[in-house]
Amino acid sequence: MLVEVTSNAAVLPPQTLHNSLHIGGVNLALCGQSAEEIRVNEELRPFLGDSSSADIHVSAEFVDELKTFPGNPQFDSGALWRVFSEKNSFTFDFVSDLLGSHPYKRLVVDRAFSSAQLSLSNTLLAPYAPIFPLEYPTDELLITNYLASRRIGVEVHGCGLIDSMAGGQLFLGHSGAGKSTTTRIWQLPRNPFILSDDRIILRLDGQQLRMYGTPWHGEAAFAEQGNAPLKRIFILQHGTHNRIRLLPKAQGVGEVFARSFPPFHSAEGLEGALEFINRALDAVPCYEFQFVPDETAIQTVLEFHD
Amino acid sequence: MSDNSEQRLKKKYEQPKITVISLRPEEAVLGHCKNSGMAGPVGTNCTAVGSCRTPGS
């Protein structure tokens, strides 16, 4: 169930050593001079492809060490990375308390998120070999920023599954809202194709909203490459009974945005993500779904009509 | 058009409502652990990095 996504992908030179990933309709090429520089982890392997062109071109290399980037960051994630803004590029520095104050990895990417240089500190990372240059959250940052900067998609916190009869179903929720539970409830009686139990990419194909599986799974560890059209979006809420309530569009946009992964470091990117969600909810309605965690929740969805 | 039909066409005034939607920055900002053992080169001991705030979903 693949959809052709038009892009201005750059053709890779034939001699380049690279691994191509296809995530959310975006081709990402990880290029390097050695097998170590293009190594991908197990979670990404199902998303490997053989594309000879790339929407995002990442050139990876191991360097002796990385110095702390001068100046104040534009945004600090409060976790592993902070980003510095320059005229034509962003610099993401990855720092872990466990490895000291110097970056163990640096991603310099153009403002369109189409070309990136990834430098990895040999000094800090050698004891932890094998190293996967794109390991979380580098891969996810590249894809989500690429989508937001072009206003062509957004990643959301949700589980997405394709039921053989009912089609694509998307349930959004914060942690603890019941995404993994919902996935498990559907799994046995319906045996759906589960794209992800935690992270889904939304894109528009004309006026049709589609959801895409991602490698970044949740507790239940479902992560499949594939996509499906959507007729509606559900916002999960635990309840004492099953109830589906249509949300006003403005509230729906807010609820989806609150469960998305927008680029907080960029005003343009934030606006792009919000604008995309607004268009997505022109295509499909958004409902609050209060549910009880048993098979009656499935029946409620299957019997529901907009 | 009579006054009556004009009144029928008028929408009933609804007072604007403010709905507060909470953001969870520790979930919305990439880089925090999605589940145990997921972030960074020392991912298998991620809790020691101090960035795990959202175990599971």
Side-chain angles (χ1 to χ4, degrees):
Chain A
M1 217 183 290
L2 292 173
V3 171
E4 198 67 37
V5 177
T6 55
S7 71
N8 298 316
V11 177
L12 296 168
Q15 74 277 17
T16 308
L17 196 58
H18 72 276
N19 269 320
S20 284
L21 294 160
H22 191 69
I23 302 171
V26 178
N27 282 324
L28 185 155
L30 175 63
C31 307
Q33 299 298 318
S34 67
E36 288 72 30
E37 288 171 346
I38 63 162
R39 180 179 280 134
V40 296
N41 61 29
E42 212 165 293
E43 292 181 324
L44 288 177
R45 278 185 202 137
F47 291 79
L48 282 170
D50 56 359
S51 177
S52 57
S53 64
D55 301 304
I56 307 173
H57 182 280
V58 183
S59 185
E61 66 166 346
F62 281 92
V63 298
D64 287 342
E65 61 177 339
L66 292 163
K67 301 286 185 195
T68 303
F69 199 84
N72 293 319
Q74 178 173 334
F75 181 82
D76 189 330
S77 71
L80 293 172
W81 59 273
R82 59 196 66 155
V83 61
F84 301 84
S85 179
E86 294 174 284
K87 191 181 172 194
N88 297 316
S89 63
F90 292 110
T91 297
F92 292 78
D93 267 8
F94 296 78
V95 179
S96 165
D97 290 345
L98 215 61
L99 300 174
S101 59
H102 287 263
Y104 64 82
K105 184 159 70 177
R106 174 168 292 152
L107 177 74
V108 182
V109 59
D110 67 330
R111 297 186 84 89
F113 282 85
S114 58
S115 179
Q117 177 69 42
L118 187 59
S119 304
L120 302 118
S121 166
N122 234 335
T123 306
L124 296 180
L125 294 176
Y128 298 96
I131 294 300
F132 305 101
L134 287 177
E135 75 187 336
Y136 174 83
T138 312
D139 45 7
E140 212 167 349
L141 280 169
L142 283 164
I143 297 286
T144 54
N145 276 281
Y146 177 89
L147 293 171
S149 67
R150 286 164 175 72
R151 304 183 177 208
I152 55 173
V154 72
E155 187 183 33
V156 288
H157 208 181
C159 67
L161 49 90
I162 307 171
D163 184 88
S164 59
M165 292 181 73
Q169 307 290 337
L170 176 63
F171 304 93
L172 304 189
H174 291 304
S175 291
K179 296 186 298 296
S180 294
T181 304
T182 297
T183 309
R184 290 190 188 107
I185 289 171
W186 280 73
Q187 196 183 5
L188 263 182
R190 303 293 299 182
N191 191 27
F193 184 69
I194 300 167
L195 292 173
S196 175
D197 62 332
D198 199 62
R199 311 243 169 142
I200 289 287
I201 286 173
L202 294 177
R203 296 193 64 168
L204 279 163
D205 179 23
Q207 293 302 305
Q208 187 175 69
L209 186 65
R210 299 189 79 91
M211 65 172 175
Y212 290 73
T214 73
W216 311 297
H217 60 75
E219 252 181 10
F222 289 101
E224 294 284 352
Q225 195 185 48
N227 67 83
L230 281 175
K231 288 181 182 164
R232 62 187 75 91
I233 294 173
F234 291 115
I235 307 287
L236 284 176
Q237 301 275 351
H238 287 290
T240 53
H241 58 282
N242 296 306
R243 191 177 75 118
I244 294 174
R245 180 175 70 93
L246 177 66
L247 296 176
K249 189 188 164 198
Q251 187 181 349
V253 170
E255 298 286 1
V256 173
F257 181 77
R259 290 159 183 81
S260 71
F261 300 91
F264 286 105
H265 61 89
S266 156
E268 269 180 29
L270 276 173
E271 193 184 316
L274 196 56
E275 195 265 342
F276 175 82
I277 294 169
N278 190 47
R279 276 190 289 128
L281 292 202
D282 281 337
V284 300
C286 182
Y287 298 90
E288 178 189 82
F289 180 28
Q290 284 188 19
F291 78 105
V292 288
D294 60 31
E295 287 186 26
T296 61
I298 303 175
Q299 216 49 42
T300 303
V301 170
L302 293 177
E303 290 169 1
F304 179 73
H305 298 285
D306 296 299
Chain B
M1 197 179 283
S2 69
D3 287 349
N4 279 347
S5 59
E6 271 183 19
Q7 276 177 352
R8 275 202 301 276
L9 289 171
K10 268 188 183 173
K11 268 185 157 179
K12 193 182 164 194
Y13 174 73
E14 283 183 41
Q15 195 174 354
K17 282 186 285 189
I18 294 175
T19 305
V20 177
I21 296 168
S22 59
L23 281 172
R24 294 194 191 175
E26 74 278 12
E27 290 185 27
V29 176
L30 297 171
H32 297 280
C33 293
K34 294 189 277 98
N35 45 32
S36 52
M38 288 297 292
V42 288
T44 51
N45 193 19
C46 185
T47 46
V49 183
S51 60
C52 280
R53 294 185 196 172
T54 58
S57 60

